[in-house]
Amino acid sequence: MSSGDEFTPQSKLSWQQKNAEPLKGVERKTAQYSKKSFACNYVGRQFKSDDAVYAVIEELKTHKEVFVQRDEKPKTHLKNHLRITANPNVTRRLWYFECVYGTKRKTESEGHRKANSHKLGCPSKLKFKLSKDGTHYQLSSEITEHEQHDLQLLAKVLPPVRPQLNEENKKFVQNHLRTGGSNMKILLELKKTGVHSGLKNITNIKHAQKQTQPSSFEDVKKVLNEENAIYDYVVDENNSLEGLFITTPEMKHTYNCFPEILMIDSTYGLIDNDYPLVIAAIVNGNGITEIISFGILTQETEVHYSWFIDCLIKYLPGCKQTLAFVSDKDMVLRKVIKDKLELDTYICTFHVLQAFNRAISMEKMSITMEEKTLVLQYLNKLTYAPDENSYSSIYQEFIDVAPTLPIEYFNKNWHPIKGEWVPAGLIVALCFTCPWLQGML
């Protein structure tokens, strides 16, 4: 097209569309008045399920009208509870569809590369609304006629439609998303079963799943009851949640089988309100970590941890056979464990090395890079000392070559409790009473 030609919707047609065979006879006459949407015939009818709406969209395809979903709003956010529960087969309060040749999406970014599109600016849209009693959908009478394209002509060269997933495959995707599976990994798993899909399908399911997540504590309790979970919770004087403890019969059985080592740690960033998620775990006979309970605490105080450990003692009797407790250097949690379970406490190697790397810095210790490297090397050797004699020998070398400040830091914070963080101490304490651990040495 030359620079002087006028830009029209016709100029956006592909070569195949421009060179399609001309319509003949009845088809040519039909094309003259086919702009009015056949969907007008469905105005006033009741659609009592999502499947009924999908059936209408499929029916319109037989009349050369292809509508695709544009937007949706779930009914779970409605304030009228009766309207929400009136018909479980109806899941949305508003549901928008638009012509496949609708308006082109606008990008907010600058410098976006020019991309070809089959969009021609057709304004035709369908809007399904939830009825006032919540029992069915109603198609809005505000149906705009098709513009900018000829239905019969373009129906012969429709753009490729993204393959949709059936209900079984959707459940497969939902289960993998719940366990934190990546989109690409899920696509590869689907491909192994002979199912071809696109990333957009996975993204849509993830978005829908997020919209249907429990929005209140009553919804959470309903899910826990459906899963036969064992749980307990505590609230404050304002009836606000302070703590939640969760375990399952399977977790309880696992703890009874391998009760020797108990590990507890907290992590942030997994919950929208950023409360700490507390995870309790053990190590099975293959050396693999197994979660035996988890919960949510609003604060990491002695009172909150005491309540969580009380729940663990109440619902998991395997803790009576536990021999050792392993965690980070959280003094509050370690104190609660000593008071409630009367266990020897140990600091896990990962957190020990992490603490060393954070504390031994050139700024804090007024040392050079070479001295920092030397100190960390000796601390690493001390951490993995196989026995008491080796530890003493390495420690003496460390005292002879290390700068003053790192030595003072180590002697103040770590040397007095060496039996709690050197792995050899934990192994010696357990190997005589734990046959499966002895077999791993």
Side-chain angles (χ1 to χ4, degrees):
M1 183 174 66
S2 63
S3 59
D5 293 339
E6 181 182 359
F7 180 81
T8 64
Q10 183 69 16
S11 64
K12 296 182 66 176
L13 297 181
S14 67
W15 181 89
Q16 290 179 324
Q17 294 168 340
K18 291 179 180 179
N19 293 275
E21 294 183 4
L23 302 176
K24 299 180 181 179
V26 178
E27 288 187 357
R28 180 183 294 275
K29 295 180 180 179
T30 305
Q32 296 175 1
Y33 57 86
S34 62
K35 287 186 178 182
K36 189 174 181 62
S37 176
F38 189 81
C40 296
N41 297 325
Y42 294 99
V43 175
R45 296 189 188 181
Q46 296 182 358
F47 306 97
K48 297 187 176 181
S49 68
D50 293 353
D51 292 336
V53 174
Y54 283 124
V56 171
I57 301 302
E58 291 297 320
E59 175 69 18
L60 290 174
K61 290 181 181 179
T62 64
H63 297 277
K64 311 300 183 184
E65 294 187 66
V66 180
F67 286 89
V68 293
Q69 180 174 312
R70 178 66 183 94
D71 195 9
E72 61 178 349
K73 296 183 179 179
K75 67 177 184 180
T76 52
H77 300 299
L78 293 173
K79 295 182 179 180
N80 189 333
H81 183 69
L82 294 177
R83 196 178 179 201
I84 295 175
T85 59
N87 185 356
N89 296 323
V90 175
T91 61
R92 301 163 175 87
R93 58 187 175 92
L94 286 175
W95 205 353
Y96 298 93
F97 292 84
E98 69 174 8
C99 176
V100 72
Y101 298 108
T103 55
K104 188 175 181 180
R105 304 290 178 265
K106 295 181 180 180
T107 176
E108 296 179 357
S109 62
E110 297 181 359
H112 188 68
R113 69 179 180 85
K114 183 179 179 181
N116 293 325
S117 172
H118 59 267
K119 301 292 184 180
L120 298 175
C122 177
S124 185
K125 294 180 176 63
L126 304 180
K127 180 169 69 172
F128 293 87
K129 299 187 294 185
L130 183 65
S131 61
K132 292 184 178 180
D133 58 4
T135 59
H136 61 276
Y137 292 112
Q138 293 176 329
L139 178 60
S140 173
S141 59
E142 302 173 2
I143 302 177
T144 309
E145 295 183 355
H146 290 279
E147 295 179 7
Q148 309 293 356
H149 67 93
D150 189 305
L151 294 181
Q152 274 70 23
L153 175 63
L154 296 183
K156 296 184 178 181
V157 286
L158 282 174
V161 179
R162 184 175 69 253
Q164 300 297 318
L165 299 175
N166 57 30
E167 291 301 320
E168 181 180 355
N169 292 327
K170 285 182 180 179
K171 290 181 179 179
F172 174 84
V173 173
Q174 289 170 352
N175 291 334
H176 276 67
L177 288 173
R178 289 192 186 99
T179 56
S182 66
N183 291 0
M184 287 304 301
K185 189 173 182 179
I186 294 174
L187 285 181
L188 293 175
E189 291 295 328
L190 287 173
K191 190 174 182 180
K192 289 179 182 178
T193 61
V195 178
H196 297 277
S197 177
L199 280 174
K200 188 64 176 177
N201 286 332
I202 311 298
T203 305
N204 289 342
I205 294 176
K206 182 183 290 186
H207 176 73
Q209 199 170 31
K210 186 175 182 180
Q211 295 294 326
T212 57
Q213 286 179 349
S215 56
S216 68
F217 187 57
E218 293 301 321
D219 294 333
V220 173
K221 291 195 291 185
K222 182 179 178 181
V223 173
L224 292 174
N225 290 327
E226 291 175 353
E227 298 295 333
N228 297 320
I230 303 169
Y231 66 94
D232 200 349
Y233 61 94
V234 62
V235 296
D236 61 11
E237 61 276 6
N238 298 321
N239 203 32
S240 299
L241 183 68
E242 285 290 313
L244 174 64
F245 174 90
I246 302 172
T247 187
T248 65
E250 293 79 9
M251 293 178 180
K252 183 177 180 180
H253 174 71
T254 301
Y255 195 14
N256 290 334
C257 294
F258 306 99
E260 292 81 9
I261 302 176
L262 173 64
M263 302 177 291
I264 297 180
D265 196 9
S266 301
T267 183
Y268 287 83
L270 299 180
I271 305 173
D272 291 340
N273 51 27
D274 206 29
Y275 286 156
L277 176 67
V278 183
I279 300 175
I282 53 90
V283 180
N284 66 17
N286 295 320
I288 298 174
T289 301
E290 296 274 2
I291 295 176
I292 51 108
S293 72
F294 60 96
I296 299 172
L297 298 178
T298 56
Q299 301 177 59
E300 292 185 274
T301 64
E302 184 174 346
V303 174
H304 288 77
Y305 273 130
S306 295
W307 174 84
F308 186 86
I309 299 303
D310 286 339
C311 290
L312 190 143
I313 296 172
K314 178 180 179 180
Y315 297 107
L316 297 174
C319 65
K320 297 177 181 179
Q321 301 177 343
T322 301
L323 303 175
F325 172 74
V326 180
S327 71
D328 57 10
K329 206 178 181 181
D330 187 333
M331 302 307 296
V332 175
L333 177 58
R334 289 159 63 82
K335 180 179 182 301
V336 172
I337 291 295
K338 288 181 179 180
D339 294 342
K340 297 285 185 179
L341 296 177
E342 299 180 354
L343 297 175
D344 293 331
T345 58
Y346 298 87
I347 306 173
C348 81
T349 303
F350 170 80
H351 287 99
V352 171
L353 297 176
Q354 185 183 69
F356 287 159
N357 279 281
R358 289 176 176 174
I360 307 301
S361 66
M362 293 185 291
E363 294 78 12
K364 295 178 181 178
M365 298 292 175
S366 301
I367 56 178
T368 64
M369 176 60 73
E370 292 75 13
E371 290 174 328
K372 174 185 175 181
T373 303
L374 178 66
V375 170
L376 291 177
Q377 287 176 350
Y378 271 99
L379 293 180
N380 189 72
K381 291 179 180 180
L382 288 168
T383 303
Y384 290 102
D387 51 51
E388 180 68 26
N389 292 333
S390 299
Y391 177 90
S392 300
S393 176
I394 299 171
Y395 174 72
Q396 188 59 49
E397 292 181 19
F398 172 70
I399 296 298
D400 294 338
V401 301
T404 303
L405 287 180
I407 293 176
E408 292 177 354
Y409 161 78
F410 183 79
N411 287 336
K412 177 183 178 181
N413 297 284
W414 296 96
H415 187 60
I417 58 170
K418 60 183 178 182
E420 297 184 11
W421 58 273
V422 178
L426 175 60
I427 294 174
V428 171
L430 296 179
C431 65
F432 297 108
T433 56
C434 189
W436 60 264
L437 180 59
Q438 190 174 11
M440 293 173 61
L441 300 179

